Amino acid sequence: INGSESLSEPKLGFLRLQSNKAPRLIVQPLRDFGRSRRSLRYTESPQRLLHNPQYGAAMSRHFLVNRDDLTQTQWVEEEDQTPGPGEVLLRVDRFALRANNVTYGVAGDIIGYWQFFPAAPGWGKIPVWGIGTVVTSEHPNIETGDRYYGYFPMASELLVKPEKISARGFTDAAEHRASLPVVYNHYSLMIADNGFDPSFFDHYMLY
């Protein structure tokens, strides 16, 4: 939000991702959010871009930032990950950006935010709160097609190792996340019994 905008009412901001272009932050008043197809188009743009068929079905896309200079960014493509026994592959459907995401980058080394989603040396994946759908499950208690709310990278997919599974969700027990705060490792199953209303899915991401 630039200095000319009013801060008298809540606003939502979402990252508009475009191939070969710098990300663009879209901001609009909370009262207008969800009333137009335009606002939904912005929140869904990560899925349209990151899962674009032109990049190949066997490739995933990841948005990286330079850990020493957050203004330097790059897209990288990686081969899709194949879940092993007990693992699950989530497609990242959408995510939100807030001022706190900048904190994740600035304090990435101090607090450990870079550890959640490892990247190439010198580069990092800034975490975001978002929604993902299970596309492949090698865990008997996690169903393909289920939707989860939680901590994701700015990427098209995330491989997790569910443990402590309940009707509420699961905890990612991936080894590199073992020493990190539990609240960031939990993924909530987005069903009505858990208090999730589809008409507010985009709001939940502003955790």
Side-chain angles (χ1 to χ4, degrees):
I1 301 176
N2 62 45
S4 64
E5 293 191 66
S6 170
L7 297 179
S8 61
E9 60 179 322
K11 289 177 167 45
L12 303 186
F14 289 91
L15 190 69
R16 187 178 188 184
L17 305 177
Q18 296 175 283
S19 181
N20 300 320
K21 294 183 180 180
R24 179 186 176 194
L25 183 62
I26 307 299
V27 178
Q28 64 183 100
L30 179 61
R31 57 182 168 78
D32 293 338
F33 181 75
R35 294 183 180 179
S36 68
R37 296 181 61 185
R38 182 183 182 190
S39 64
L40 294 179
R41 182 172 71 250
Y42 292 145
T43 61
E44 293 172 353
S45 59
Q47 180 178 352
R48 294 201 313 275
L49 174 62
L50 295 171
H51 304 285
N52 193 318
Q54 69 174 301
Y55 299 116
M59 302 297 290
S60 61
R61 302 201 79 209
H62 302 259
F63 183 72
L64 306 185
V65 298
N66 187 311
R67 291 169 58 161
D68 295 322
D69 181 357
L70 301 184
T71 66
Q72 295 185 27
T73 64
Q74 66 171 324
W75 289 101
V76 298
E77 293 185 353
E78 300 176 2
E79 290 188 7
D80 281 351
Q81 301 181 82
T82 301
E87 294 182 330
V88 168
L89 186 65
L90 292 163
R91 180 189 67 221
V92 181
D93 294 327
R94 61 180 71 182
F95 56 78
L97 283 182
R98 306 179 306 150
N100 209 33
N101 295 106
V102 179
T103 303
Y104 295 157
V106 173
D109 289 311
I110 300 173
I111 302 178
Y113 290 115
W114 297 126
Q115 298 178 40
F116 284 96
F117 312 112
W123 295 88
K125 300 176 183 179
I126 292 180
V128 288
W129 291 98
I131 297 171
T133 300
V134 177
V135 292
T136 308
S137 176
E138 294 298 331
H139 195 294
N141 297 324
I142 302 294
E143 298 290 335
T144 300
D146 281 349
R147 184 174 292 173
Y148 288 88
Y149 163 79
Y151 219 41
F152 290 92
M154 295 186 196
S156 58
E157 66 181 28
L158 174 64
L159 185 68
V160 295
K161 186 177 182 180
E163 286 190 2
K164 300 181 180 179
I165 301 169
S166 70
R168 304 285 296 179
F170 67 83
T171 296
D172 183 12
E175 184 176 353
H176 65 275
R177 297 177 69 163
S179 62
L180 300 172
V182 175
V183 64
Y184 295 116
N185 291 336
H186 183 76
Y187 292 82
S188 300
L189 181 61
M190 301 186 75
I191 58 175
D193 287 348
N194 290 338
F196 287 98
D197 181 344
S199 62
F200 290 100
F201 274 9
D202 289 322
H203 296 72
Y204 297 135
M205 297 185 295
L206 299 172
Y207 179 85

